[in-house]
Amino acid sequence: MKPVHSFIVTSHLPKKIEKLKELAYNYWWCWSSEAKELYVRINRKLWEESAHNPVLLLNKLSQNQLEELSEQTDFISYLDFIYDKFKKYMESQSWYDSLGYNSKGIIAYFSMEYGINESFPNYSGGLGVLSGDHLKSASDLGLPLIGVGLLYQQGYFRQHLTQSGWQNELYIFNDFYSMPLILMKDKEGEPLIIDVDLPQGKAFAQIWKMQIGKVPLYLLDTNIEENGIIEYRDITDQLYGGTRETRIEQEIVLGIGGARALKALGIEPTVYHINEGHATFALLERTKQYMDKYNIDFHSAKQITKSTSIFTTHTPVPAGNETFKTDRIEAYMQNYYKSLGIKKEEFYFLGQVGDYNPNESFSMTILGLRLTGYHNGVSKLHGNVSRNMWHDLWKCFPVDEVPISYITNGVHTMTWVAREFADLYDRYLSPRWRTETDNQDIWNKIEAIPSEELWREKQRRRVRLVLFAREYLIKRQKSFLTPEQISKINEYLDPDALTIGFARRFATYKRATLLFTDMERLAEILKKYDKPVQIIIAGKAHPHDTQGKEVIQSIIYKVREHGLERHVVFLEDYDMIISRFMVKGCDLWLNTPVRPMEASGTSGMKASLNGTLNLSILDGWFDEAYNGTNGFAIGHGEEYSNTDEQNIIESSSLYDLLEQVIIPMFYERSNIGRIPDKWVSYMKSCIKTIGWKFSTTRMLKEYANNFYIPALKSYKTLTSNNASNASGLNEWKNSIRSHWADVEIIDVSTEEDPEYFVGKSIHVSARVHLGKLTPKDVVVQVYHGSVDHEGELINSSYNDLKLVKSEDFIHHYEGDYICNDTGKQGFTIRVLPTHPLLVNSADMHLCAWAQ
């Protein structure tokens, strides 16, 4: 029975505690252990039952309970203390302020998911948690950043395993009115509604706002009455759920709808940061808005978009690089691209490798790369993988000059560090580590922490993890467990045993089964009486990933078959709560992907903050973090063509490491204090080398310095004088493309010498035909390096040559470079377009080489 009238009822806070509401509606509390304590003091049981949602907690309290709370002087005193800290944080001067960069620009950050806290289940895994950490650090640093995303009625699925170990998906409806969300309204007090065009008609969405410290996050919700087409109400039902139609509809709402939502809110960002390909339609809508604002054509407006937008690619896995068949794109985007005033072939070029091909799918990643000037992978290795992966877009450049750089991911330190470890760091590093989390000098003081104290806190966290795991297993299975079975679970896991954690998405390339390759050998390792080892596993497979589900089931089956239930436990429905317990309590964090498929990974960074050592394939972030004393590497970074051979070699290496190095080191204790001295020295090295370098503080500063600030400056230049510079840049590019075929390097010469040696200066000259182009339009370079067995230049570099003289269309260039290596060396000459407003020299995908 539906109501004839409905309204929202919230708790009414007495005046003495009304500050609680302001605190509850800002997720700042979730990275302040003292602020969390505030809610525990209100009612610990309700706090746990509400999944750590302060708004729901307050709504669950009766008016009498609220009145009683307002009369507790100790609580009021603590509330005032927390509120003062919150206000100081919100009003404090920041790192960004200290740069003196006085632009009033706004950075719009688009992401499909956000993992802020478990009380807001709007995430599936690492990508979402990274997005959440990105916003938190942007707040800490004072970056003028806002988030844009979708608000899912059911979020990501809840995982339930059957008795046979098969994953079932449950979807639970979220009550937005019991979350720290504010519905945005227009001047008349009505919900602010935006729309996008879909094949059956318009789809409408309302906008919610969530505050993460100083950073607002705007989320679109299509489950509203305005959507007369029922299917359109369901667009934002589930994260990564539904059909392929649902997916493209979600990405249109996120991208085009997200850009329109910002406009409706009166926000005009100066920089767009597209986090993965799901939101790249936003770049088209951004360009369209510039067309309307400045009355310019698509290609001129695109110059503004391209020079002020960032695209971050997160995975080399094909499934993570979204593509849609051309017939589906045509059904959804035909009218839209016509409104841009561009031809069909021009539109599809934006999402395909080359010229329009009706048989080639439209790639959201390529669209992101084509419409942005700044591109990056999420680790050093992933940057290299991405340059190779997308080399076809820049065919005339060597792979190492494909303009995809890297900024290695990080984690938000204050969210993921255990309170016990934070207290240690306060005492021995000074509290500055909390606000200068990327300061290497501060983290170098880790050596000052007595080994006994560091080990004691790790033991406490392990005990907490074991108790949590037992309680969690009982709670999840209580309905079908006998008292005898419950008592057995209370014997699962040993608080003193070496504890290995493996928690991540169960995609097949992550190889969760590698540790379970040889069950007899594993059982022998786990069951050693004097040196016990145990494993805690968690993670979900995508609802459509049957192979991933089979991996989970096979592990559970093998564990039961070999009677290892007390030594290996699977914690179903992996979320941020389980993640925090595991990264803080485990001794060893296992990561076994197929190199180089793990773009970055962040769980191992969280573990490292808490002295948990990584045991990992040299892939993603760990490839650049490992130094031999801060964790353990499986292999030496090899890559294999034979998967079966790879699994055999690397599983054997994994077992060898455990048996011969890791387990002996963990159990080798000193006579005084029973401390594993070498293990603790590894813990210190791990914290010292990883804590500062893999923080989102460092990551956000790199985004700001390398991308955001240059993009803000470009925006100011390109939009000045009614975007005349953007139109001028477009005209210049058209001229370059029209005449580029006439560019030719006529001849190249160098002075012959009987002897070449390291450090010798090599003088080169070249005559270049530019046709109707001028020397101001180009840069001529000598490209030099070693010559490999195939006659290709490797380990190369380049130097600009100087214009010596011009004769009609022929231009003479000369210059020098230093020969830095021995062996066979060589050089060639190339010509590139150049313009002060180009983001980089490869921006136009043009390069002429000497033949």
Side-chain angles (χ1 to χ4, degrees), residues 175-391:
D175 177 7
F176 299 153
Y177 294 98
S178 293
M179 290 180 167
L181 290 161
I182 297 171
L183 184 62
M184 303 307 292
K185 297 183 178 181
D186 59 23
K187 293 178 181 178
E188 285 71 43
E190 296 297 320
L192 196 59
I193 305 291
I194 61 96
D195 64 77
V196 296
D197 293 308
L198 297 178
Q200 296 183 60
K202 288 189 179 296
F204 299 90
Q206 60 186 4
I207 309 163
W208 298 81
K209 177 184 175 183
M210 176 176 282
Q211 198 69 32
I212 294 89
K214 301 173 184 178
V215 172
L217 169 60
Y218 296 101
L219 301 159
L220 278 68
D221 164 27
T222 64
N223 189 13
I224 55 177
E225 293 180 359
E226 283 78 0
N227 280 318
I229 301 170
I230 299 301
E231 300 96 288
Y232 290 175
R233 292 191 186 186
D234 299 336
I235 291 174
T236 55
D237 267 5
Q238 300 171 0
L239 172 59
Y240 304 133
T243 64
R244 292 299 295 163
E245 300 298 324
T246 310
R247 179 63 64 84
I248 192 171
E249 289 166 358
Q250 286 185 341
E251 298 191 1
I252 288 171
V253 171
L254 172 60
I256 297 174
R260 290 179 180 175
L262 294 178
K263 185 177 181 180
L265 290 163
I267 299 170
E268 185 178 339
T270 42
V271 174
Y272 269 41
H273 184 174
I274 306 298
N275 191 41
E276 195 56 279
H278 306 299
T280 48
F281 286 137
L283 300 169
L284 291 172
E285 179 63 17
R286 184 184 192 199
T287 305
K288 189 174 189 296
Q289 290 178 9
Y290 291 139
M291 292 171 64
D292 297 337
K293 180 176 181 179
Y294 298 113
N295 193 28
I296 53 179
D297 67 284
F298 174 80
H299 295 289
S300 294
K302 188 179 73 171
Q303 307 310 319
I304 308 173
T305 297
K306 189 175 179 70
S307 296
T308 61
S309 298
I310 297 99
F311 179 75
T312 299
T313 175
H314 280 270
T315 179
V317 179
N321 290 278
E322 195 83 77
T323 61
F324 296 105
K325 293 187 180 300
T326 53
D327 58 348
R328 179 172 281 118
I329 287 288
E330 194 69 7
Y332 280 89
M333 300 297 291
Q334 182 180 19
N335 290 334
Y336 187 85
Y337 71 67
K338 286 180 179 178
S339 74
L340 299 175
I342 59 176
K343 298 176 182 177
K344 181 177 182 176
E345 292 77 13
E346 291 178 292
F347 173 73
Y348 281 96
F349 172 78
L350 296 173
Q352 295 182 340
V353 173
D355 292 335
Y356 170 55
N357 179 357
N359 298 316
E360 179 186 341
S361 292
F362 188 92
S363 167
M364 299 297 283
T365 301
I366 293 177
L367 180 64
L369 292 171
R370 292 242 191 243
L371 288 179
T372 56
Y374 303 91
H375 328 111
N376 72 285
V378 289
S379 70
K380 185 177 182 179
L381 180 60
H382 180 232
N384 184 53
V385 170
S386 298
R387 286 188 289 277
N388 279 277
M389 189 171 179
W390 302 109
H391 184 210

Side-chain angles (χ1 to χ4, degrees), residues 534-553:
Q534 58 200 13
I535 306 165
I536 299 178
I537 307 171
K540 299 176 178 179
H542 187 279
H544 299 153
D545 185 3
T546 302
Q547 286 184 305
K549 294 180 183 182
E550 289 171 347
V551 168
I552 295 173
Q553 188 176 46

Side-chain angles (χ1 to χ4, degrees), residues 37 130 140 166 319 411 420 468 577 632 658 683 774 781 818:
E37 180 65 27
L130 175 74
D140 292 341
W166 187 255
V411 297
E420 295 87 344
F468 166 79
I577 296 175
F632 309 97
L658 286 170
M683 287 174 63
T774 72
Q781 297 173 335
I818 302 299

Side-chain angles (χ1 to χ4, degrees), residues 681-752:
S681 74
Y682 267 54
M683 287 174 63
K684 289 182 177 181
S685 177
C686 169
I687 298 168
K688 180 171 68 175
T689 58
I690 294 172
W692 69 273
K693 189 174 183 179
F694 297 94
S695 71
T696 39
T697 302
R698 184 272 312 156
M699 182 186 86
L700 261 293
K701 286 182 178 180
E702 289 187 13
Y703 273 113
N705 289 320
N706 298 347
F707 298 160
Y708 295 160
I709 292 173
L712 284 166
K713 293 176 179 177
S714 292
Y715 179 87
K716 187 175 182 181
T717 302
L718 286 165
T719 57
S720 63
N721 195 21
N722 202 39
S724 60
N725 284 329
S727 298
L729 179 59
N730 181 55
E731 290 172 6
W732 176 83
K733 285 186 175 182
N734 288 336
S735 174
I736 294 293
R737 292 191 189 99
S738 297
H739 301 296
W740 192 254
D742 297 330
V743 174
E744 180 185 4
I745 300 167
I746 298 172
D747 59 54
V748 177
S749 61
T750 185
E751 297 172 359
E752 293 297 331

Side-chain angles (χ1 to χ4, degrees), residues 89-133:
Y89 173 86
M90 295 296 289
E91 296 164 5
S92 63
Q93 289 290 300
S94 66
W95 170 81
Y96 188 75
D97 295 328
S98 71
L99 298 180
Y101 188 66
N102 57 10
S103 170
K104 295 181 180 179
I106 295 173
I107 303 152
Y109 178 86
F110 285 73
S111 184
M112 192 77 162
E113 51 177 303
Y114 288 92
I116 310 296
N117 179 260
E118 60 273 8
S119 60
F120 180 54
N122 219 57
Y123 62 96
S124 71
L127 177 69
V129 174
L130 175 74
S131 298
D133 283 6

